[in-house]
Amino acid sequence: MLKYLTILSVCALAGCAQSGPYQEKQPEAVIPDSNLSLPAGFTVIEQQPQGYFIRLASPEHASVSTIRTIATSVNGAFDRIDFCLEGSHERGDEYASVIDGKLYDYENDIIKPLK
């Protein structure tokens, strides 16, 4: 029995060992494209360079029609558009996102097409 516990301990420790220094790569904030047209009050908080996502902040919650307008103006340049408030714009603070033509309303736990 002791033999199996020793082997198990060695395997567990080996799984935690790292072969080299680990550095978590953070996405870089990028100055938004000059072609990006946003309604007044919206600012780009973060933009992933390869077009995966963009994070926008505004002083108040955006209406569905404003979110639709922004999604249309971005015109598929990003896979995901996150919406957050100016005072609360860290990752995970989004109140809504647009992903693949759907509106994800996190505060009301609703997913619906953005048509």
Side-chain angles (χ1 to χ4, degrees), residues 37-39 63-75 114:
S37 175
L38 296 174
S63 66
V64 174
S65 63
T66 301
I67 291 173
R68 188 178 298 115
T69 300
I70 291 171
T72 301
S73 72
V74 167
N75 194 23
L114 190 65

Side-chain angles (χ1 to χ4, degrees), residues 96-114:
S97 294
V98 174
I99 305 168
D100 194 30
K102 295 181 187 81
L103 173 62
Y104 290 75
D105 181 343
Y106 301 122
E107 292 184 334
N108 297 306
D109 200 25
I110 297 172
I111 301 172
K112 62 182 179 180
L114 190 65

Side-chain angles (χ1 to χ4, degrees), residues 29-36 38 43-45 47 54 56 78:
V30 176
I31 298 172
D33 297 334
S34 59
N35 297 337
L36 187 61
L38 296 174
T43 56
V44 176
I45 299 301
Q47 179 178 337
I54 187 168
L56 306 176
F78 299 97

Side-chain angles (χ1 to χ4, degrees), residues 6-54:
T6 303
I7 292 171
L8 183 60
S9 298
V10 169
C11 290
L13 289 173
C16 294
Q18 297 177 356
S19 60
Y22 174 75
Q23 293 180 339
E24 184 175 336
K25 185 175 181 180
Q26 296 291 327
E28 299 175 12
V30 176
I31 298 172
D33 297 334
S34 59
N35 297 337
L36 187 61
S37 175
L38 296 174
F42 283 87
T43 56
V44 176
I45 299 301
E46 184 177 6
Q47 179 178 337
Q48 207 283 332
Q50 283 81 28
Y52 296 129
F53 69 89
I54 187 168

